[in-house]
Amino acid sequence: MKKYGLIGKKLGHSWSAKWFGEKFEREGIADAEYRLYELDGVADLRTWVERNGLKGFNVTIPYKEAVLEWMDELDETARGVGAVNCVDCRGGRLKGYNTDAPAFAETLRPLLQPWHKAALVLGTGGAAKAVAFALKGLGIEYKFVSRKPVGEAVGYDEAMELAATHLLIVNATPVGMYPATEVSPWPEPQRIGERHLCYDLIYNPQETLFLRQARQEGATVCGGLKMLQRQAELSWMVWNRATEEE
Ligand code: NAP
């Protein structure tokens, strides 16, 4: 049995086990399982991986940065983002990947118009860093928007002004996520118009209040479900590329 899984702190509503279970069923993959592992920490991750006999695993909140110290190797994207959401355990070595960044880039690209040259990225956490890395690759300039701006980040008041020229707005905060769905990270929806593209990384609900309001203002909108699916597909490709190399 090839064992895969997801590590995180609280995984009660995790979508990944269901997605992989359905994939294995649909594709007749009988020798693989994908389980959820709720961990209190990642101290001695290597021993934990060996004990559980994992071939590969995904990493979610709050361990995407904490696992870095256990990696024997990092792929270029994980190094650039500074976070790992996918680990390949082939040959007893742990190689960290970041499939969030390419998943975001690939799902954003078909929606881009020539006027989407500058972006506002709401939030400054791991997801925001993956988004920023992807935007760099796409040649889109960006500013982080933070409640406590430091360095090059701007505050929300300034972001409202910048919306006139920054026509791509990405929500990389958890604001609006189930169960607190009636809040939005973007306080002035009237600043958004038809030329805006609004992308919310949140996938539950599929349309957040931020996206609903942006859509009502005429913007193009995209929720986080496609990105979530793509990062899972890319993780599967990482683990299987490893298998072929064995
Ligand atoms: P996080 O570290 O918990 O938070 C990200 C940032 O959001 C924080 O650094 C903070 O920035 C801002 N923030 C947090 N609480 C806030 C609040 N109450 N009001 C305003 N801003 C707040 O989360 P994350 O791991 O980066 O993930 C962010 C979201 O992306 C989550 O909803 C996650 O589920 C989603 N996500 C989706 C995918 C996908 O595949 N679709 C992949 C990864 C993540 P400041 O302190 O600077 O304001």
Side-chain angles (χ1 to χ4, degrees):
M1 183 63 73
K2 292 172 183 154
K3 293 171 83 176
Y4 305 95
L6 171 67
I7 67 166
K9 192 147 187 127
K10 283 229 157 48
L11 300 172
H13 290 102
S14 171
W15 165 94
S16 301
K18 187 167 173 281
W19 188 84
F20 276 104
E22 286 170 3
K23 176 185 174 67
F24 297 157
E25 182 94 22
R26 194 173 57 242
E27 297 179 13
I29 301 170
D31 62 343
E33 64 167 39
Y34 188 100
R35 285 177 49 188
L36 302 179
Y37 298 92
E38 287 192 351
L39 304 183
D40 285 333
V42 290
D44 210 359
L45 186 70
R46 185 182 306 281
T47 310
W48 182 85
V49 169
E50 282 165 10
R51 202 173 53 237
N52 284 281
L54 291 175
K55 276 189 81 65
F57 60 97
N58 290 120
V59 184
T60 189
I61 297 170
Y63 301 132
K64 289 186 184 184
E65 289 171 21
V67 299
L68 281 171
E69 66 167 307
W70 291 104
M71 297 299 115
D72 296 304
E73 204 182 334
L74 289 175
D75 92 318
E76 210 183 309
T77 307
R79 202 174 318 117
V81 175
V84 162
N85 75 312
C86 172
V87 179
D88 174 29
C89 313
R90 179 166 52 100
R93 286 172 58 79
L94 301 180
K95 180 166 180 182
Y97 293 81
N98 188 299
T99 63
D100 284 336
F104 173 73
E106 286 176 32
T107 52
L108 175 71
R109 200 184 288 116
L111 303 173
L112 289 171
Q113 298 292 342
W115 52 86
H116 295 132
K117 298 248 181 272
L120 297 171
V121 180
L122 315 184
T124 55
K129 286 181 192 146
V131 165
F133 183 87
L135 291 176
K136 255 185 253 164
L138 291 165
I140 297 174
E141 66 170 89
Y142 61 88
K143 284 193 189 308
F144 287 117
V145 182
S146 172
R147 293 166 297 176
K148 293 180 201 146
V150 286
E152 292 188 0
V154 299
Y156 279 85
D157 287 347
E158 193 179 335
M160 294 307 114
E161 305 291 332
L162 289 171
T165 50
H166 291 62
L167 299 177
L168 169 61
I169 304 173
V170 183
N171 178 32
T173 80
V175 181
M177 193 164 74
Y178 177 86
T181 56
E182 284 310 308
V183 284
S184 165
W186 188 264
E188 297 179 21
Q190 70 280 10
R191 302 267 187 180
I192 293 172
E194 284 176 6
R195 282 160 67 88
H196 279 92
L197 169 56
C198 295
Y199 194 121
D200 200 326
L201 265 59
I202 292 172
Y203 48 86
N204 183 14
Q206 285 191 40
E207 186 177 75
T208 56
L209 179 61
F210 167 55
L211 292 190
R212 187 160 81 240
Q213 291 177 332
R215 182 171 51 76
Q216 284 163 355
E217 298 294 338
T220 301
V221 300
C222 182
L225 192 59
K226 280 190 184 146
M227 173 179 167
L228 187 68
Q229 287 168 341
R230 190 64 190 141
Q231 64 77 29
E233 283 165 5
L234 291 170
S235 296
W236 183 246
M237 285 161 70
V238 163
W239 300 327
N240 283 283
R241 183 169 60 221
T243 308
E244 283 158 19
E245 281 169 10
E246 271 174 357

